[in-house]
Amino acid sequence: PTVTVPCLSLSGADDNYAPPDFVAAFVSQLPSSCEQIVWPGVGHMPFFEIPALFADSVADFLARLDADRASRD
């Protein structure tokens, strides 16, 4: 399958399971646009380690998608 929608990649700089370089390589192969956020001092589970910042980042991304869609309507 091909990804045809905007994507958001959220990860920690201290993630040993999916290091930032691996995530960046994966993101670069996506055919659609993908915003990448890498937080310093955060490991593999930013949704547990920094839940408020994680949630705010997702909410901001979704709000921008809604704004982009509204501007095209």
Side-chain angles (χ1 to χ4, degrees), residues 7-53:
C7 299
L8 175 63
S9 169
L10 303 172
S11 59
D14 296 341
D15 188 338
N16 293 320
Y17 181 75
D21 291 346
F22 289 13
V23 174
F26 173 79
V27 165
S28 73
Q29 295 184 30
L30 293 172
S32 64
S33 66
C34 184
E35 179 180 337
Q36 187 175 10
I37 298 174
V38 180
W39 290 293
V42 175
H44 185 63
M45 296 193 290
F47 44 91
F48 283 128
E49 297 173 54
I50 50 168
L53 185 54

Side-chain angles (χ1 to χ4, degrees), residues 4-6 64-73:
T4 60
V5 297
R64 284 185 278 118
L65 288 181
D66 281 344
D68 288 346
R69 186 182 65 196
S71 70
R72 286 182 273 134
D73 291 345

